[in-house]
Amino acid sequence: MSVALVPGSFDPFHNGHLEVVERATRLFDEVVVAALRNPQKSSSLFDLDERRDMMAASMTHLPTVRIVSVSTLLVEVAKDVGATAIVKGLRAVSDFESELQMAQMNRSLSGVETLFIPTSSSHSFIASRLLREVARYGGDVSPFVPPPVYEALRSKFEGAQE
Ligand code: PNS
C-alpha cells in the first residue's frame, strides 16, 4: 500500500493545501496530512489541535485522508505512518530553495523521498501568513480557505480590529 505524508504548518490550512492533498489522493492509496511545528516560525495563530480539527472538518469528502498533529521530527512521523514519500506543494520558485533543503535533509536523515506537486496558478499567491494578516484586519478570506477554516478565523478575530 502506498502512503503519502503531506506535512506543513497549516496555520491555517488553505485551498492551496487542499488542492495538493486532493491531488495526492489520486496518486497514493492513503494520504496522511500532518500538522507540525515549524521552529523557523516563532509564533502561531492556532495550536496544533485546533489546526487538526479544522483540517478534519475541511476534508470529510476525502475518505483516504488521515490527519495527525504532532510536535516531533518529520522523518519520525514518516517512519511511524510507513510513508512511501513526503509530498509538498510548490507555489513558485521562491518556495523551491527551502523545500529543496528540507527534502535533502530529510532524505539524509532517513532515506525518505520528497515529491513536489506544483499548485495551480489560481492558488499560487495564497499563503497562510497573508491569510492571517488579511483576516486580522477584517478582510474577506472566504475565497481562499475551506468554510471551517473561515469560521475559525472569523471567531479568532471577532471584535479584534483596531
Ligand atoms: O508549511 P511549512 O511551514 O513550510 O512546513 C514546514 C514543516 C512543518 C514541514 C517543517 O518545519 C518540519 O518538518 N517541521 C518538523 C520538524 C522537522 O522535522 N524539522 C526538520 C526539517 S528538515
Side-chain angles (χ1 to χ4, degrees), residues 52-74:
R52 185 202 50 218
D53 292 347
M54 270 185 269
M55 287 154 64
S58 304
M59 292 190 278
T60 51
H61 62 297
L62 299 172
T64 58
V65 168
R66 184 154 66 91
I67 293 146
V68 296
S69 59
V70 272
S71 186
T72 182
L73 268 185
L74 178 56

Side-chain angles (χ1 to χ4, degrees), residues 109 142 153:
L109 290 172
S142 62
L153 282 166

Side-chain angles (χ1 to χ4, degrees), residues 7-9 36-38 41 72-74 88 102 105-106:
S9 308
L36 293 149
R37 281 186 215 291
N38 182 343
K41 297 176 180 169
T72 182
L73 268 185
L74 178 56
K88 291 214 81 178
M102 286 192 275
M105 176 58 82
N106 288 326

Side-chain angles (χ1 to χ4, degrees), residues 2-52:
S2 61
V3 181
L5 174 60
V6 182
S9 308
F10 303 129
D11 187 33
F13 188 76
H14 57 61
N15 289 345
H17 297 134
L18 181 58
E19 181 200 354
V20 171
V21 175
E22 284 175 339
R23 286 167 63 188
T25 63
R26 290 182 218 127
L27 301 170
F28 293 85
D29 298 319
E30 186 185 18
V31 176
V32 179
V33 187
L36 293 149
R37 281 186 215 291
N38 182 343
Q40 314 294 327
K41 297 176 180 169
S42 51
S43 65
S44 57
L45 178 61
F46 294 103
D47 67 33
L48 283 178
D49 288 345
E50 289 176 312
R51 291 181 234 168
R52 185 202 50 218

Side-chain angles (χ1 to χ4, degrees), residues 78-99:
K79 198 168 76 181
D80 288 350
V81 304
T84 312
I86 292 167
V87 171
K88 291 214 81 178
L90 280 184
R91 290 169 296 198
V93 178
S94 50
D95 282 343
F96 185 69
E97 202 173 336
S98 65
E99 292 297 343

